Amino acid sequence: MAKPSAISGFPEWLPAQRAVENVVLDTCREVFELHGFGSLETRAVETMADLLRKGEIDKEVYAVKRLHEPAGAITDPGSELALHFDLTVPFARYVVQHAGKLDFPYRRYQMQKVWRGERPQEGRYREFAQVDIDVVGLDTLPFHYDVEVPLVMAEVFERLNALGLPKISIRVNNRKVSEGFYRGVGFTEPTKVLGLVDKLDKIGAEKVGYLLRTQCEATDEMIAQALSLATISGADLSVIDEVLALGVEHPLLTEGLAELSAVLQAADGVLTADFSISRGLDYYTGTVFESTMRGFEHLGSVCSGGRYDSLASDGKTTYPGVGISMGLSRVLGPLFARGYTMNRSVPTCVLVALANDEERPAAEKVASSLRKRGISALVSPTAAKFGKQIKFADKRGIPFVWFITDDGHQVKDIRSGDQTSADRKKWTPPAEDLHPSIILQEN
Amino acid sequence: MAKPSAISGFPEWLPAQRAVENVVLDTCREVFELHGFGSLETRAVETMADLLRKGEIDKEVYAVKRLHEPAGAITDPGSELALHFDLTVPFARYVVQHAGKLDFPYRRYQMQKVWRGERPQEGRYREFAQVDIDVVGLDTLPFHYDVEVPLVMAEVFERLNALGLPKISIRVNNRKVSEGFYRGVGFTEPTKVLGLVDKLDKIGAEKVGYLLRTQCEATDEMIAQALSLATISGADLSVIDEVLALGVEHPLLTEGLAELSAVLQAADGVLTADFSISRGLDYYTGTVFESTMRGFEHLGSVCSGGRYDSLASDGKTTYPGVGISMGLSRVLGPLFARGYTMNRSVPTCVLVALANDEERPAAEKVASSLRKRGISALVSPTAAKFGKQIKFADKRGIPFVWFITDDGHQVKDIRSGDQTSADRKKWTPPAEDLHPSIILQEN
């Protein structure tokens, strides 16, 4: 085998990085299951026809084909296969396909790889992991799920922050607010307005104003109103008053502000209203979410979602839903590049040292006793000199080395050098040493 | 969306089945990590060149290509991509690629989907999950890992059996025993002999004898010896004596019997020696494993592996290894068809009932208190009649319903009908109800 090399856009983590990823996945899963979300995995492939329904992304799809597909085996282009590019389209398909066997409202989480043929860049990969939660109803879905879904994800982010990862904040808007407001101001194409206002950060107010004037027939007053809305943000209900103070009126705006105010009230400061969010106007029908990671704002949103009233439907029944999706690799790749890792590269907490090869069965007995009490333990690969065995542990970050001596058993904390006698059936490490923890290693 | 349908060979589990799969994955992971195996995930794709090195499976590979790959973008056929068909080839590639950043012996587990374009049948899929553990060394790998690896997997099987799944037994052989024995008997092509003896179960002793005579120039005595070896099996060291009693001598046989006897001795009855195992003669160089599931023997081996001394190499350095791989979907698919499932379809343990919609914040407070203590809880989707809310819980198998009444809080076990007063900060369910458990539901 010649030395193989990486494939651009298909990242692979080193063992300690993968362990960080598992901590994140475990945290997600624990929070989701406490909130009654069940696990789901869908197949990696969908039919090309199902994927290309969302036309704009056709360039990014990876087609999948048996290398020796018999000629003419595929007669129906609808049966051609491709890798899924997100978890929402497969989920919508799964719900419609298995509706008869699901209980609604159906709450699921899904943590899987997805594939897109995009040009790779920081935080953008061709193969990457996503973590989604969604609640879908049968024909109707109460509004309170719009409140619940972002709060569940916020609980995940709070726990991850406590584990040492940067803070991620979720911002919220409501499509009805934006659409109603722009209609109330006098715009006839609110989607177009939002697309232009979205460029505010990049090109500035003056240029956005110029574009609104030339492309949306905006007057000076309309431009001023549009720009005013985009600058309102905050975590408490005063943002609602700020919007009302602009004096614009429209039934959709009133409805949207009521929904948004319900979300903010229940969120109690955890979510921030931000009227510049323009995400997915074609797709979402009410509440929308975006999130940025502190210190990594240049990555853009790392966790987004919203309410969709008509994504999944079989023509007769509609399954309205609300969901939120975290770009896991998008978050982790930049964190790993910055030096986030584990304080050990292996799960092992104790290395049982070997004085000689005959001692292996006795050493295995020690390891087995520790494992029975949930302590990850490993017997030394060879009966090398003790100094070498300690180096073996040190290199991997294993904190404890166990010695079987003539005077009884001893365990050494190789970081402090402290060595004490120990009973294999009773000794336990300090709680913080039982499992590896996340650290930021200066590069 | 027209009603979508399943894609043959790409199974998807229902929520309760996926929960069973998660129990199996969690059990594997817990045991592996206690034994110091770290998690690894490799990218889903390899270059076609890397995959096709194992020539015989080229027909089964799924090629992957961007739908709108610019014409002429792929100039080097070595850069064409395909989905991996197992986890061993990607692992070998990963080890060689990242060797400088890995610590040897490197112990890893890997639980991922793999893809093969095979004809689907019971337990055989085109997309399926595998669970692998391997230990690889740098240039050398001590023999004791041949003993450790199957025992770690046997510990997983023991735990799964305790959780209600059928017993899986691991059988062991050693390539050196078979090859040495057949050479000692006088055969010059031991691989061919094993291929024929492998048919014993299917075509019977007489036909195997005929084939050995016509294809391997075997005498009656050679045939008798070959068939005798294949029928020896057992979990204790007496099998070694049985082989020796056949009176065949060869240095490779002696070496293989010594290795096998070390494995059996350490396994202490957990592994069964079986000299009819002919797995992977081209590939494995010593110890080999196969496993069958009780009641599902017709599926063949569901967990296999062995020692490979030269799979991973960059020309200068060789990374000898020993590993074992369980076909997870291969095990679960037939179990699900037989009726194995969960006693509830959701993780939820407690449904907090709603007397009216105004009560939702109070109900969320109860749910939040329970979650803080690790109890999965859900507030009722709507303030329907209590009977309807209890039915909601019953349909999903949620065992407890919580009521907020004027006289205080009450919790009802809806299976027994028992209702008692409860404190949201103290009440805990019986341990066996905290999480769902695996059951066999008669079809």
Side-chain angles (χ1 to χ4, degrees):
Chain A
M1 192 184 300
K3 182 91 174 173
S5 53
I7 300 178
S8 172
F10 291 81
E12 287 186 321
W13 311 138
L14 289 170
Q17 297 170 334
R18 169 64 181 162
V20 173
E21 182 171 45
N22 271 335
V23 168
V24 175
L25 289 169
D26 289 347
T27 303
C28 290
R29 192 177 152 195
E30 192 184 340
V31 171
F32 298 157
E33 294 192 350
L34 281 173
H35 285 267
F37 289 84
S39 176
L40 174 69
E41 268 198 8
T42 57
R43 59 191 192 223
V45 300
E46 297 291 327
T47 63
M48 198 75 85
D50 276 348
L51 286 182
L52 297 191
R53 195 160 292 132
K54 280 181 78 186
E56 89 274 23
I57 127 141
D58 63 335
K59 284 195 193 69
E60 302 170 11
V61 168
Y62 277 105
V64 165
K65 205 176 169 179
R66 283 168 62 203
L67 192 56
H68 293 264
E69 193 77 64
I74 292 181
T75 48
D76 170 16
S79 70
E80 285 184 87
L81 301 180
L83 296 172
H84 56 216
F85 56 77
D86 73 0
L87 302 177
T88 309
V89 172
F91 174 59
R93 190 264 312 150
Y94 180 92
V95 166
V96 175
Q97 182 178 331
H98 300 281
K101 292 181 171 172
L102 299 174
D103 296 316
F104 294 93
Y106 173 43
R107 309 158 70 81
R108 80 88 175 80
Y109 67 90
Q110 196 168 346
M111 321 198 289
Q112 280 184 260
K113 295 280 176 66
V114 306
W115 295 267
R116 294 184 193 177
E118 290 178 346
R119 196 169 59 83
Q121 48 180 301
E122 191 195 7
R124 292 264 181 209
Y125 306 105
R126 294 185 152 186
E127 175 179 63
F128 57 101
Q130 284 199 328
V131 173
D132 283 29
I133 53 172
D134 287 85
V135 183
V136 290
L138 193 71
D139 288 324
T140 61
L141 184 74
F143 173 73
H144 61 78
Y145 292 108
D146 288 41
V147 180
E148 185 191 355
V149 157
L151 290 183
V152 170
M153 197 57 99
E155 193 176 322
V156 167
F157 293 152
E158 201 180 312
R159 289 201 189 197
L160 293 178
N161 189 222
L163 289 169
L165 296 180
K167 196 170 160 66
I168 298 178
S169 310
I170 304 179
R171 288 168 297 123
V172 59
N173 191 6
N174 192 302
R175 175 195 167 131
K176 293 172 192 167
V177 172
S178 313
E179 189 175 338
F181 185 91
Y182 291 127
R183 285 198 190 280
V185 163
F187 287 102
T188 50
E189 293 178 286
T191 307
K192 205 167 168 186
V193 177
L194 259 157
L196 297 178
V197 173
D198 192 37
K199 296 177 198 282
L200 203 54
D201 277 353
K202 283 181 204 139
I203 64 174
E206 200 175 331
K207 281 193 182 157
V208 170
Y210 172 79
L211 293 173
L212 286 173
R213 194 183 325 270
T214 51
Q215 296 187 16
C216 304
E217 300 170 11
T219 62
D220 284 352
E221 200 194 326
M222 286 163 74
I223 292 169
Q225 293 275 45
L227 293 175
S228 298
L229 180 68
T231 56
I232 298 174
S233 74
D236 60 55
L237 289 172
S238 65
V239 295
I240 307 291
D241 296 330
E242 288 183 57
V243 175
L244 291 173
L246 295 176
V248 176
E249 282 182 17
H250 193 275
L252 209 51
L253 172 62
T254 310
E255 193 183 329
L257 285 175
E259 289 189 4
L260 187 64
S261 121
V263 172
L264 290 177
Q265 203 157 0
D268 200 19
V270 170
L271 307 175
T272 303
D274 181 339
F275 296 98
S276 73
I277 296 176
S278 67
R279 169 159 302 269
L281 277 192
D282 302 333
Y283 189 83
Y284 294 112
T285 49
T287 313
V288 286
F289 316 110
E290 285 196 354
S291 321
T292 41
M293 181 159 61
R294 189 173 291 173
F296 295 85
E297 287 78 7
H298 63 285
L299 294 175
S301 183
V302 295
C303 180
S304 315
R307 172 83 176 209
Y308 46 89
D309 276 332
S310 51
L311 179 66
S313 169
D314 60 6
K316 275 171 284 181
T317 312
T318 299
Y319 305 88
V322 56
I324 190 163
S325 169
M326 168 168 55
L328 180 60
S329 310
R330 190 165 172 65
V331 166
L332 292 179
L335 289 182
F336 293 157
R338 186 76 67 93
Y340 284 87
T341 184
M342 276 300 195
N343 63 350
R344 53 194 208 237
S345 64
V346 293
T348 317
C349 178
V350 179
L351 178 76
V352 185
L354 275 182
N356 52 62
D357 279 327
E358 288 66 44
E359 210 176 83
R360 184 169 295 280
E364 279 296 352
K365 211 164 147 184
V366 172
S368 172
S369 290
L370 294 172
R371 285 176 200 133
K372 272 190 189 127
R373 295 184 292 109
I375 304 162
S376 175
L378 191 67
V379 175
S380 210
T382 59
K385 285 186 180 155
F386 279 152
K388 213 176 156 192
Q389 295 186 53
I390 290 172
K391 257 189 201 153
F392 176 96
D394 189 41
K395 201 173 170 200
R396 290 158 179 78
I398 300 172
F400 297 99
V401 178
W402 190 285
F403 299 97
I404 303 172
T405 74
D406 292 340
D407 301 336
H409 292 205
Q410 301 255 317
V411 67
K412 185 191 191 87
D413 182 332
I414 64 169
R415 298 160 302 185
S416 63
D418 293 348
Q419 186 162 334
T420 52
S421 59
D423 181 336
R424 69 180 165 91
K425 291 186 177 170
K426 286 184 191 153
W427 179 87
T428 47
E432 67 271 22
D433 289 330
L434 186 60
H435 299 292
S437 1
I438 296 174
I439 53 165
L440 175 56
Q441 202 158 52
E442 298 301 327
N443 285 338
Chain B
M1 192 184 299
K3 182 94 176 169
S5 54
I7 300 178
S8 172
F10 291 81
E12 288 186 321
W13 311 137
L14 289 169
Q17 296 171 336
R18 169 62 183 166
V20 173
E21 182 171 46
N22 271 335
V23 168
V24 175
L25 289 169
D26 289 346
T27 304
C28 290
R29 192 176 151 193
E30 190 183 342
V31 171
F32 298 158
E33 294 193 350
L34 282 173
H35 286 266
F37 289 85
S39 176
L40 175 69
E41 267 198 8
T42 56
R43 59 189 191 222
V45 300
E46 298 291 327
T47 63
M48 198 75 87
D50 277 348
L51 286 182
L52 297 190
R53 197 161 289 134
K54 282 181 79 188
E56 87 275 23
I57 110 144
D58 64 334
K59 283 194 193 69
E60 303 170 11
V61 169
Y62 277 104
V64 167
K65 206 175 168 181
R66 283 168 62 202
L67 190 57
H68 294 263
E69 192 78 65
I74 292 181
T75 47
D76 170 16
S79 70
E80 284 184 86
L81 302 179
L83 296 172
H84 55 215
F85 55 77
D86 73 0
L87 301 178
T88 309
V89 172
F91 174 59
R93 189 264 314 151
Y94 180 93
V95 166
V96 175
Q97 182 179 330
H98 300 280
K101 292 181 170 172
L102 299 173
D103 296 315
F104 294 94
Y106 173 42
R107 309 157 71 81
R108 80 86 176 82
Y109 68 90
Q110 196 168 348
M111 321 200 287
Q112 280 182 260
K113 294 280 175 64
V114 305
W115 294 269
R116 295 184 192 176
E118 289 179 346
R119 196 169 58 82
Q121 48 182 299
E122 191 196 7
R124 292 262 182 213
Y125 305 104
R126 293 184 153 186
E127 174 179 64
F128 57 101
Q130 284 200 328
V131 173
D132 282 31
I133 53 172
D134 286 84
V135 184
V136 291
L138 193 71
D139 288 325
T140 60
L141 184 74
F143 174 74
H144 61 81
Y145 292 108
D146 288 42
V147 180
E148 185 192 355
V149 157
L151 290 184
V152 171
M153 197 57 99
E155 195 175 319
V156 167
F157 293 153
E158 202 180 309
R159 289 200 188 198
L160 293 179
N161 190 222
L163 289 170
L165 296 179
K167 197 172 159 66
I168 299 179
S169 310
I170 304 178
R171 289 167 296 125
V172 59
N173 191 7
N174 191 302
R175 173 193 168 134
K176 294 171 190 168
V177 172
S178 312
E179 185 173 341
F181 185 92
Y182 292 128
R183 287 200 189 280
V185 163
F187 287 102
T188 51
E189 293 179 287
T191 306
K192 203 166 168 185
V193 177
L194 258 158
L196 297 177
V197 172
D198 192 39
K199 298 176 197 282
L200 203 53
D201 277 354
K202 282 181 205 138
I203 63 174
E206 200 174 329
K207 281 193 181 156
V208 170
Y210 171 79
L211 293 173
L212 286 171
R213 192 183 329 271
T214 52
Q215 297 187 14
C216 304
E217 299 171 13
T219 63
D220 284 352
E221 201 195 327
M222 284 162 75
I223 292 169
Q225 292 275 46
L227 294 176
S228 298
L229 180 68
T231 57
I232 297 174
S233 74
D236 62 52
L237 289 171
S238 66
V239 293
I240 307 291
D241 296 330
E242 286 183 59
V243 175
L244 291 172
L246 295 175
V248 177
E249 282 181 16
H250 193 275
L252 210 51
L253 174 61
T254 309
E255 194 183 327
L257 285 175
E259 289 189 3
L260 187 63
S261 118
V263 172
L264 290 177
Q265 206 156 358
D268 199 19
V270 171
L271 307 175
T272 303
D274 181 339
F275 296 99
S276 72
I277 295 176
S278 66
R279 169 161 300 269
L281 277 191
D282 303 332
Y283 190 83
Y284 294 112
T285 49
T287 313
V288 284
F289 316 109
E290 285 194 355
S291 321
T292 42
M293 180 159 62
R294 189 173 290 170
F296 295 84
E297 287 78 5
H298 63 284
L299 294 176
S301 183
V302 294
C303 179
S304 315
R307 172 84 176 206
Y308 46 90
D309 277 332
S310 50
L311 178 66
S313 170
D314 60 6
K316 278 172 281 182
T317 312
T318 299
Y319 304 87
V322 56
I324 190 161
S325 168
M326 167 167 56
L328 180 60
S329 310
R330 192 167 170 63
V331 166
L332 291 180
L335 289 182
F336 293 155
R338 186 76 68 93
Y340 284 87
T341 185
M342 276 300 193
N343 63 350
R344 53 192 205 238
S345 63
V346 293
T348 317
C349 179
V350 179
L351 178 76
V352 185
L354 274 183
N356 52 63
D357 279 325
E358 289 65 47
E359 209 176 84
R360 184 169 295 278
E364 279 297 352
K365 208 164 151 186
V366 172
S368 173
S369 289
L370 294 171
R371 286 177 199 134
K372 273 191 187 124
R373 295 184 291 110
I375 304 161
S376 176
L378 190 67
V379 175
S380 208
T382 58
K385 285 187 179 157
F386 279 152
K388 213 176 155 192
Q389 295 187 52
I390 291 172
K391 255 188 202 154
F392 176 97
D394 189 41
K395 200 172 171 200
R396 290 157 179 79
I398 300 173
F400 298 98
V401 178
W402 191 286
F403 299 97
I404 303 172
T405 74
D406 294 338
D407 301 336
H409 292 205
Q410 301 255 317
V411 66
K412 185 192 191 85
D413 182 333
I414 63 169
R415 298 159 301 186
S416 64
D418 293 348
Q419 186 164 332
T420 52
S421 59
D423 180 335
R424 68 181 166 89
K425 292 189 175 167
K426 286 184 189 151
W427 179 87
T428 48
E432 67 271 22
D433 289 329
L434 185 59
H435 299 290
S437 2
I438 296 173
I439 54 165
L440 175 55
Q441 202 159 51
E442 297 302 329
N443 287 338

